[in-house]
Amino acid sequence: MTTLSPTALAPTRSTRSRRRATGQAVRYLILAVGAVIMLLPFAYMLSTSFKSQAYVLTLPPQFIPHPATVSNYTGAWSSHDFARYFVNSLIVAACTTALSLLLSSMMAYAFARFAFPGRELLYKTLLLGLMIPAMMLIIPQFVLAKYLGLLDSLAGLVVFYVGGSLPLNTFLLRGFFAAIPKELEQAMTVDGAGAWTRYRRLILPLAKPALATATIFTFLASWDEFAWSLTIINTPSRQTLPLAIALFQGENSTLWGLVFAASVIAVVPVIVVFLLFQRYFVQGLTAGAVKG
């Protein structure tokens, strides 16, 4: 029987190594191209926000503004009561995120740990909310908001944003809660801990990745939402940032530097929230989606 010497195996190993290196290089190249494509619009928006009006529409476009100016930011922030719109959006997004996480985490814990009649039916009915486009609910939501006295108010935005975010958040959190070993809860039960104590002292601390994922999704959705705020908000002082930017663009259709500066200001809180929770993001999303 003929045996291959190490020298004969060397070319094969070398070929495999080169193939792995080539495949890895191709993957990195594809990811780099995708990253450039994704970041290009934001880079252009950021660059244009530092340009004076005379250089905004120059061709070919300059990604490094020269001369650079911050007058667009000062002008956008000080005009049309932009600071009030920013605060309104911050209040709505923060309240929506807090209420949605509280309610969805309690619902998810109940669906994951307690057996009660109709549990699966209720859970599947809740998930139907993920299959209905938001625009189809505008008219019934408007009628309901009218009867509840929530029209033209920030509370009207918060209530319906919370309702819209509950199905997805409950889905993500239920999957994560179900993966937590039941033995931990049983040990606490032996020590006399009730359901609320187990939820508050055990489940929530262990579910930080899933909670971080839900926080990012909820904050982003409520911060960027446009259609519902356009439908129910009439008073200018109660407008949120997306609606204000749209109106701002209409009133200053040629002042793109101001429009892009306002857009950059609107993006900053979203980036901050993502940076605060990004280390938990992938772990929480994967756990909720796979084990839900």
mmCIF file of all heavy atoms in Angstrom, residues 81 84-89 92 149-157 161 229-230 232-244 247:
data_model
loop_
_atom_site.group_PDB
_atom_site.id
_atom_site.type_symbol
_atom_site.label_atom_id
_atom_site.label_comp_id
_atom_site.label_asym_id
_atom_site.label_seq_id
_atom_site.Cartn_x
_atom_site.Cartn_y
_atom_site.Cartn_z
ATOM 1 N N ASP A 81 -38.929 77.088 14.902
ATOM 2 C CA ASP A 81 -39.142 76.413 16.190
ATOM 3 C C ASP A 81 -38.673 74.961 16.142
ATOM 4 O O ASP A 81 -39.300 74.047 16.689
ATOM 5 C CB ASP A 81 -40.622 76.474 16.560
ATOM 6 C CG ASP A 81 -40.824 76.528 18.080
ATOM 7 O OD1 ASP A 81 -39.814 76.654 18.793
ATOM 8 O OD2 ASP A 81 -41.967 76.433 18.533
ATOM 9 N N ARG A 84 -38.245 72.892 19.405
ATOM 10 C CA ARG A 84 -39.474 72.341 19.994
ATOM 11 C C ARG A 84 -39.837 71.022 19.326
ATOM 12 O O ARG A 84 -40.253 70.066 19.993
ATOM 13 C CB ARG A 84 -40.622 73.341 19.860
ATOM 14 C CG ARG A 84 -41.940 72.829 20.427
ATOM 15 C CD ARG A 84 -43.064 73.824 20.192
ATOM 16 N NE ARG A 84 -42.846 75.032 20.969
ATOM 17 C CZ ARG A 84 -43.262 75.190 22.225
ATOM 18 N NH1 ARG A 84 -43.897 74.202 22.848
ATOM 19 N NH2 ARG A 84 -43.045 76.321 22.862
ATOM 20 N N TYR A 85 -39.717 70.953 17.994
ATOM 21 C CA TYR A 85 -40.006 69.709 17.296
ATOM 22 C C TYR A 85 -39.087 68.588 17.772
ATOM 23 O O TYR A 85 -39.508 67.439 17.942
ATOM 24 C CB TYR A 85 -39.842 69.891 15.781
ATOM 25 C CG TYR A 85 -40.678 70.991 15.188
ATOM 26 C CD1 TYR A 85 -40.198 71.764 14.127
ATOM 27 C CD2 TYR A 85 -41.955 71.264 15.671
ATOM 28 C CE1 TYR A 85 -40.956 72.775 13.572
ATOM 29 C CE2 TYR A 85 -42.724 72.276 15.124
ATOM 30 C CZ TYR A 85 -42.222 73.030 14.068
ATOM 31 O OH TYR A 85 -42.970 74.033 13.523
ATOM 32 N N PHE A 86 -37.821 68.930 17.975
ATOM 33 C CA PHE A 86 -36.847 67.948 18.444
ATOM 34 C C PHE A 86 -37.241 67.417 19.822
ATOM 35 O O PHE A 86 -37.212 66.199 20.064
ATOM 36 C CB PHE A 86 -35.459 68.587 18.492
ATOM 37 C CG PHE A 86 -34.346 67.633 18.819
ATOM 38 C CD1 PHE A 86 -33.666 66.979 17.810
ATOM 39 C CD2 PHE A 86 -33.975 67.396 20.134
ATOM 40 C CE1 PHE A 86 -32.631 66.098 18.101
ATOM 41 C CE2 PHE A 86 -32.954 66.519 20.442
ATOM 42 C CZ PHE A 86 -32.273 65.868 19.420
ATOM 43 N N VAL A 87 -37.620 68.301 20.713
ATOM 44 C CA VAL A 87 -38.025 67.891 22.068
ATOM 45 C C VAL A 87 -39.300 67.054 22.010
ATOM 46 O O VAL A 87 -39.428 66.050 22.730
ATOM 47 C CB VAL A 87 -38.210 69.126 22.967
ATOM 48 C CG1 VAL A 87 -38.810 68.734 24.310
ATOM 49 C CG2 VAL A 87 -36.886 69.847 23.164
ATOM 50 N N ASN A 88 -40.252 67.442 21.156
ATOM 51 C CA ASN A 88 -41.484 66.649 21.013
ATOM 52 C C ASN A 88 -41.173 65.218 20.585
ATOM 53 O O ASN A 88 -41.716 64.255 21.137
ATOM 54 C CB ASN A 88 -42.411 67.307 19.992
ATOM 55 C CG ASN A 88 -43.043 68.587 20.512
ATOM 56 O OD1 ASN A 88 -43.036 68.853 21.716
ATOM 57 N ND2 ASN A 88 -43.573 69.382 19.612
ATOM 58 N N SER A 89 -40.312 65.075 19.600
ATOM 59 C CA SER A 89 -39.943 63.737 19.126
ATOM 60 C C SER A 89 -39.232 62.948 20.210
ATOM 61 O O SER A 89 -39.452 61.739 20.366
ATOM 62 C CB SER A 89 -39.056 63.835 17.882
ATOM 63 O OG SER A 89 -39.801 64.181 16.748
ATOM 64 N N VAL A 92 -41.857 61.768 22.755
ATOM 65 C CA VAL A 92 -42.694 60.698 22.199
ATOM 66 C C VAL A 92 -41.904 59.400 22.094
ATOM 67 O O VAL A 92 -42.380 58.327 22.485
ATOM 68 C CB VAL A 92 -43.238 61.117 20.822
ATOM 69 C CG1 VAL A 92 -43.891 59.921 20.120
ATOM 70 C CG2 VAL A 92 -44.249 62.241 20.971
ATOM 71 N N GLY A 149 -60.433 60.997 22.424
ATOM 72 C CA GLY A 149 -59.963 62.352 22.668
ATOM 73 C C GLY A 149 -58.454 62.498 22.551
ATOM 74 O O GLY A 149 -57.851 63.327 23.246
ATOM 75 N N LEU A 150 -57.827 61.727 21.674
ATOM 76 C CA LEU A 150 -56.375 61.731 21.536
ATOM 77 C C LEU A 150 -55.881 62.444 20.287
ATOM 78 O O LEU A 150 -54.674 62.443 20.011
ATOM 79 C CB LEU A 150 -55.852 60.285 21.521
ATOM 80 C CG LEU A 150 -56.066 59.492 22.805
ATOM 81 C CD1 LEU A 150 -55.601 58.055 22.627
ATOM 82 C CD2 LEU A 150 -55.343 60.148 23.975
ATOM 83 N N LEU A 151 -56.790 63.050 19.537
ATOM 84 C CA LEU A 151 -56.365 63.764 18.337
ATOM 85 C C LEU A 151 -55.571 65.016 18.709
ATOM 86 O O LEU A 151 -55.828 65.651 19.730
ATOM 87 C CB LEU A 151 -57.578 64.151 17.490
ATOM 88 C CG LEU A 151 -58.362 63.005 16.847
ATOM 89 C CD1 LEU A 151 -59.538 63.553 16.054
ATOM 90 C CD2 LEU A 151 -57.456 62.163 15.953
ATOM 91 N N ASP A 152 -54.605 65.344 17.866
ATOM 92 C CA ASP A 152 -53.791 66.554 18.032
ATOM 93 C C ASP A 152 -53.107 66.594 19.395
ATOM 94 O O ASP A 152 -53.112 67.619 20.079
ATOM 95 C CB ASP A 152 -54.648 67.803 17.825
ATOM 96 C CG ASP A 152 -53.789 69.040 17.540
ATOM 97 O OD1 ASP A 152 -52.644 68.880 17.097
ATOM 98 O OD2 ASP A 152 -54.271 70.161 17.798
ATOM 99 N N SER A 153 -52.512 65.468 19.786
ATOM 100 C CA SER A 153 -51.815 65.418 21.070
ATOM 101 C C SER A 153 -50.651 64.443 20.963
ATOM 102 O O SER A 153 -50.686 63.479 20.194
ATOM 103 C CB SER A 153 -52.755 64.978 22.200
ATOM 104 O OG SER A 153 -53.162 63.639 22.026
ATOM 105 N N LEU A 154 -49.627 64.693 21.768
ATOM 106 C CA LEU A 154 -48.498 63.773 21.812
ATOM 107 C C LEU A 154 -48.911 62.437 22.423
ATOM 108 O O LEU A 154 -48.360 61.387 22.076
ATOM 109 C CB LEU A 154 -47.348 64.391 22.617
ATOM 110 C CG LEU A 154 -46.744 65.689 22.058
ATOM 111 C CD1 LEU A 154 -45.575 66.137 22.926
ATOM 112 C CD2 LEU A 154 -46.299 65.504 20.609
ATOM 113 N N ALA A 155 -49.881 62.466 23.344
ATOM 114 C CA ALA A 155 -50.377 61.222 23.936
ATOM 115 C C ALA A 155 -50.989 60.319 22.867
ATOM 116 O O ALA A 155 -50.862 59.088 22.937
ATOM 117 C CB ALA A 155 -51.403 61.525 25.021
ATOM 118 N N GLY A 156 -51.649 60.912 21.887
ATOM 119 C CA GLY A 156 -52.209 60.129 20.798
ATOM 120 C C GLY A 156 -51.137 59.426 19.989
ATOM 121 O O GLY A 156 -51.341 58.304 19.517
ATOM 122 N N LEU A 157 -50.002 60.071 19.821
ATOM 123 C CA LEU A 157 -48.888 59.420 19.129
ATOM 124 C C LEU A 157 -48.344 58.268 19.964
ATOM 125 O O LEU A 157 -48.125 57.163 19.459
ATOM 126 C CB LEU A 157 -47.773 60.434 18.847
ATOM 127 C CG LEU A 157 -48.120 61.601 17.921
ATOM 128 C CD1 LEU A 157 -46.915 62.532 17.776
ATOM 129 C CD2 LEU A 157 -48.557 61.094 16.556
ATOM 130 N N TYR A 161 -48.325 54.349 18.881
ATOM 131 C CA TYR A 161 -46.991 53.809 18.628
ATOM 132 C C TYR A 161 -46.728 52.598 19.517
ATOM 133 O O TYR A 161 -46.146 51.604 19.078
ATOM 134 C CB TYR A 161 -45.923 54.872 18.900
ATOM 135 C CG TYR A 161 -45.875 55.990 17.894
ATOM 136 C CD1 TYR A 161 -45.125 57.143 18.145
ATOM 137 C CD2 TYR A 161 -46.556 55.913 16.689
ATOM 138 C CE1 TYR A 161 -45.068 58.177 17.228
ATOM 139 C CE2 TYR A 161 -46.520 56.947 15.767
ATOM 140 C CZ TYR A 161 -45.766 58.084 16.048
ATOM 141 O OH TYR A 161 -45.708 59.109 15.141
ATOM 142 N N SER A 229 -48.365 60.748 12.547
ATOM 143 C CA SER A 229 -48.232 62.105 13.084
ATOM 144 C C SER A 229 -48.806 63.130 12.113
ATOM 145 O O SER A 229 -49.411 64.117 12.535
ATOM 146 C CB SER A 229 -46.766 62.418 13.386
ATOM 147 O OG SER A 229 -45.987 62.326 12.206
ATOM 148 N N LEU A 230 -48.636 62.903 10.826
ATOM 149 C CA LEU A 230 -49.230 63.805 9.830
ATOM 150 C C LEU A 230 -50.749 63.753 9.887
ATOM 151 O O LEU A 230 -51.425 64.755 9.652
ATOM 152 C CB LEU A 230 -48.736 63.421 8.439
ATOM 153 C CG LEU A 230 -49.308 64.216 7.264
ATOM 154 C CD1 LEU A 230 -48.876 65.678 7.343
ATOM 155 C CD2 LEU A 230 -48.873 63.607 5.939
ATOM 156 N N ILE A 232 -52.846 63.063 12.608
ATOM 157 C CA ILE A 232 -53.571 63.536 13.794
ATOM 158 C C ILE A 232 -53.030 64.842 14.375
ATOM 159 O O ILE A 232 -53.719 65.473 15.181
ATOM 160 C CB ILE A 232 -53.574 62.463 14.899
ATOM 161 C CG1 ILE A 232 -52.183 62.306 15.522
ATOM 162 C CG2 ILE A 232 -54.081 61.149 14.381
ATOM 163 C CD1 ILE A 232 -52.193 61.503 16.812
ATOM 164 N N ILE A 233 -51.836 65.266 14.009
ATOM 165 C CA ILE A 233 -51.267 66.486 14.592
ATOM 166 C C ILE A 233 -51.558 67.675 13.685
ATOM 167 O O ILE A 233 -51.149 67.692 12.517
ATOM 168 C CB ILE A 233 -49.746 66.351 14.815
ATOM 169 C CG1 ILE A 233 -49.453 65.201 15.763
ATOM 170 C CG2 ILE A 233 -49.180 67.647 15.373
ATOM 171 C CD1 ILE A 233 -50.012 65.384 17.159
ATOM 172 N N ASN A 234 -52.251 68.661 14.232
ATOM 173 C CA ASN A 234 -52.569 69.883 13.489
ATOM 174 C C ASN A 234 -51.867 71.118 14.054
ATOM 175 O O ASN A 234 -51.518 72.025 13.315
ATOM 176 C CB ASN A 234 -54.086 70.122 13.483
ATOM 177 C CG ASN A 234 -54.840 69.016 12.764
ATOM 178 O OD1 ASN A 234 -54.401 68.530 11.723
ATOM 179 N ND2 ASN A 234 -55.972 68.606 13.324
ATOM 180 N N THR A 235 -51.674 71.148 15.365
ATOM 181 C CA THR A 235 -51.044 72.301 16.001
ATOM 182 C C THR A 235 -49.540 72.287 15.732
ATOM 183 O O THR A 235 -48.870 71.288 16.026
ATOM 184 C CB THR A 235 -51.284 72.278 17.520
ATOM 185 O OG1 THR A 235 -52.697 72.219 17.763
ATOM 186 C CG2 THR A 235 -50.699 73.525 18.171
ATOM 187 N N PRO A 236 -48.984 73.364 15.172
ATOM 188 C CA PRO A 236 -47.544 73.374 14.858
ATOM 189 C C PRO A 236 -46.647 73.101 16.054
ATOM 190 O O PRO A 236 -45.616 72.448 15.917
ATOM 191 C CB PRO A 236 -47.322 74.785 14.301
ATOM 192 C CG PRO A 236 -48.648 75.198 13.761
ATOM 193 C CD PRO A 236 -49.662 74.581 14.670
ATOM 194 N N SER A 237 -47.029 73.570 17.234
ATOM 195 C CA SER A 237 -46.179 73.391 18.405
ATOM 196 C C SER A 237 -46.122 71.942 18.881
ATOM 197 O O SER A 237 -45.297 71.604 19.730
ATOM 198 C CB SER A 237 -46.663 74.285 19.549
ATOM 199 O OG SER A 237 -47.987 73.935 19.939
ATOM 200 N N ARG A 238 -46.993 71.082 18.355
ATOM 201 C CA ARG A 238 -47.012 69.680 18.750
ATOM 202 C C ARG A 238 -46.467 68.763 17.661
ATOM 203 O O ARG A 238 -46.538 67.536 17.799
ATOM 204 C CB ARG A 238 -48.446 69.264 19.102
ATOM 205 C CG ARG A 238 -49.012 70.018 20.295
ATOM 206 C CD ARG A 238 -50.478 69.737 20.478
ATOM 207 N NE ARG A 238 -51.020 70.524 21.586
ATOM 208 C CZ ARG A 238 -52.318 70.651 21.856
ATOM 209 N NH1 ARG A 238 -53.212 70.031 21.110
ATOM 210 N NH2 ARG A 238 -52.723 71.397 22.870
ATOM 211 N N GLN A 239 -45.944 69.319 16.621
ATOM 212 C CA GLN A 239 -45.400 68.499 15.549
ATOM 213 C C GLN A 239 -44.114 67.813 15.976
ATOM 214 O O GLN A 239 -43.375 68.318 16.810
ATOM 215 C CB GLN A 239 -45.141 69.349 14.309
ATOM 216 C CG GLN A 239 -46.407 69.866 13.646
ATOM 217 C CD GLN A 239 -46.101 70.793 12.487
ATOM 218 O OE1 GLN A 239 -44.968 71.223 12.316
ATOM 219 N NE2 GLN A 239 -47.107 71.103 11.690
ATOM 220 N N THR A 240 -43.860 66.657 15.382
ATOM 221 C CA THR A 240 -42.628 65.929 15.655
ATOM 222 C C THR A 240 -41.607 66.193 14.554
ATOM 223 O O THR A 240 -41.917 66.823 13.545
ATOM 224 C CB THR A 240 -42.900 64.426 15.769
ATOM 225 O OG1 THR A 240 -43.578 63.980 14.585
ATOM 226 C CG2 THR A 240 -43.758 64.126 16.989
ATOM 227 N N LEU A 241 -40.421 65.684 14.745
ATOM 228 C CA LEU A 241 -39.306 66.030 13.868
ATOM 229 C C LEU A 241 -39.490 65.593 12.413
ATOM 230 O O LEU A 241 -39.219 66.390 11.504
ATOM 231 C CB LEU A 241 -38.015 65.440 14.444
ATOM 232 C CG LEU A 241 -36.718 66.176 14.120
ATOM 233 C CD1 LEU A 241 -36.822 67.651 14.479
ATOM 234 C CD2 LEU A 241 -35.562 65.541 14.873
ATOM 235 N N PRO A 242 -39.927 64.359 12.114
ATOM 236 C CA PRO A 242 -40.107 63.993 10.701
ATOM 237 C C PRO A 242 -41.091 64.898 9.972
ATOM 238 O O PRO A 242 -40.848 65.297 8.832
ATOM 239 C CB PRO A 242 -40.630 62.551 10.783
ATOM 240 C CG PRO A 242 -40.123 62.044 12.077
ATOM 241 C CD PRO A 242 -40.174 63.217 13.010
ATOM 242 N N LEU A 243 -42.199 65.222 10.629
ATOM 243 C CA LEU A 243 -43.174 66.111 10.018
ATOM 244 C C LEU A 243 -42.612 67.512 9.853
ATOM 245 O O LEU A 243 -42.822 68.176 8.830
ATOM 246 C CB LEU A 243 -44.446 66.146 10.867
ATOM 247 C CG LEU A 243 -45.612 66.982 10.351
ATOM 248 C CD1 LEU A 243 -46.027 66.524 8.965
ATOM 249 C CD2 LEU A 243 -46.786 66.899 11.317
ATOM 250 N N ALA A 244 -41.875 67.978 10.847
ATOM 251 C CA ALA A 244 -41.284 69.318 10.776
ATOM 252 C C ALA A 244 -40.265 69.419 9.652
ATOM 253 O O ALA A 244 -40.201 70.430 8.949
ATOM 254 C CB ALA A 244 -40.637 69.670 12.105
ATOM 255 N N LEU A 247 -42.112 69.681 6.308
ATOM 256 C CA LEU A 247 -42.643 71.032 6.102
ATOM 257 C C LEU A 247 -41.525 72.027 5.873
ATOM 258 O O LEU A 247 -41.655 72.955 5.079
ATOM 259 C CB LEU A 247 -43.486 71.434 7.324
ATOM 260 C CG LEU A 247 -44.723 70.575 7.592
ATOM 261 C CD1 LEU A 247 -45.413 71.026 8.873
ATOM 262 C CD2 LEU A 247 -45.673 70.617 6.410
#
